[in-house]
Amino acid sequence: MCGIKTIVTTVGRPNQHSFELAEKACKALELPFIERKKKSLQKIAEEHHANLIVAGKLSYEYLPFESEEPFFFHPSSAAFRLKRIARGEHEPFLDVAKLQKGDTFLDCTLGLGSDSIVAAYAVGDIGLVIGCEGNPNVAFIVREGLRSYDRAQLPLLSCMDHIQVVSSLAIDYLKQQQDNAFDVVYMDPMFEETIEESKNFSPLRVAGLQNSLTDEWVEEAKRVAKKRVVLKAHFRSPLFDQYHFKRDIRYNAKFHYGVIEL
């Protein structure tokens, strides 16, 4: 959240690993550490007028100032989508993106990374998946979550290891890339219209940066993409027609995909 500082603290009953995680967050993001001292997270946030990164016993949570729900990493829909893909079932995102083993994929709107996880599975070990996240706190939480999430019962999620998280606005990152740098460039401006059923994204709607698609963003994406640019948006979105995406209509689905072939 712009204009509001961020501090690091721990859960109420931290162990040694909690303090190690807190130190790691402080170093990575150059943030101060505040001892918990039995205070509630809300009290600490109010006293310091700050967002909080909370180091737990195994992982992190991010509590934006005045938010009631913390943001934490979980693979969201990626887990069951990967199971369906492994069974040879239909996956609309891959049908449109047409990713092949060894492809390079840029996710301009990483969020929780569910689509990037599916992309990483599709491109395999020899491919490359990079996800941009404009909020450095969210980028840190997702980066660490991708590395440390317990996938003992979900071996398909091992592909998460191959995702690189970049803390940058998408447009800034795109401008730094050469022409045709990625096979596929993907954009999901998920804040364009709220879907009530998507409750698992509520904390991200507070924590994430809400940037709208622009002419410059689309043109840079087309320059950087070698094969195609893919858009995910609400089925009522004007973006498909505005930017000439060929829409993949999915009846009874809240979101549609669009593609620009290059």
Side-chain angles (χ1 to χ4, degrees), residues 19-197:
F19 289 110
E20 291 172 359
L21 288 177
E23 183 179 7
K24 183 177 184 179
C26 289
K27 288 182 177 179
L29 296 169
E30 298 182 346
L31 299 175
F33 175 75
I34 302 296
E35 289 189 47
R36 187 69 180 266
K37 294 182 178 179
K38 298 184 179 181
K39 293 180 181 178
S40 70
L41 294 176
Q42 289 73 18
K43 183 67 174 177
I44 294 175
E46 290 171 2
E47 286 183 353
H48 296 273
H49 195 75
N51 307 312
L52 302 181
I53 288 181
V54 184
K57 295 182 179 180
L58 294 172
S59 60
Y60 298 97
E61 289 186 345
Y62 174 47
L63 189 67
F65 185 66
E66 294 186 337
S67 172
E68 296 180 358
E69 299 178 79
F71 171 75
F72 58 93
F73 174 79
H74 56 91
S76 189
S77 65
F80 69 79
R81 289 165 70 190
L82 288 180
K83 288 180 180 179
R84 290 192 319 209
I85 294 166
R87 292 195 298 263
E89 296 181 20
H90 177 66
E91 167 53 45
F93 165 66
L94 292 184
D95 289 345
V96 174
K98 299 178 184 178
L99 290 168
Q100 304 294 322
K101 295 294 183 184
D103 274 354
T104 52
F105 177 85
L106 174 62
D107 188 343
C108 290
T109 47
L110 182 63
L112 279 168
S114 335
D115 292 321
S116 278
I117 294 171
V118 173
Y121 180 83
V123 305
D125 296 351
I126 59 174
L128 173 67
V129 174
I130 292 179
C132 286
E133 171 51 54
N135 184 318
N137 298 333
V138 173
F140 176 80
I141 296 292
V142 175
R143 183 186 297 113
E144 293 302 313
L146 288 167
R147 293 173 179 171
S148 62
Y149 190 83
D150 183 6
R151 64 210 61 175
Q153 304 303 317
L154 298 167
L156 290 174
L157 289 177
S158 61
C159 61
M160 296 193 303
D161 291 338
H162 305 299
I163 298 173
Q164 298 179 25
V165 179
V166 175
S167 180
S168 172
L169 293 175
I171 186 63
D172 294 339
Y173 188 75
L174 284 166
K175 287 180 176 180
Q176 297 170 8
Q177 307 310 306
Q178 297 181 354
D179 294 355
N180 305 318
F182 291 86
D183 291 301
V184 178
V185 174
Y186 177 64
M187 301 174 290
D188 174 10
M190 60 184 165
F191 300 110
E192 182 196 10
E193 181 161 348
T194 300
I195 301 299
E196 291 182 2
E197 293 88 341

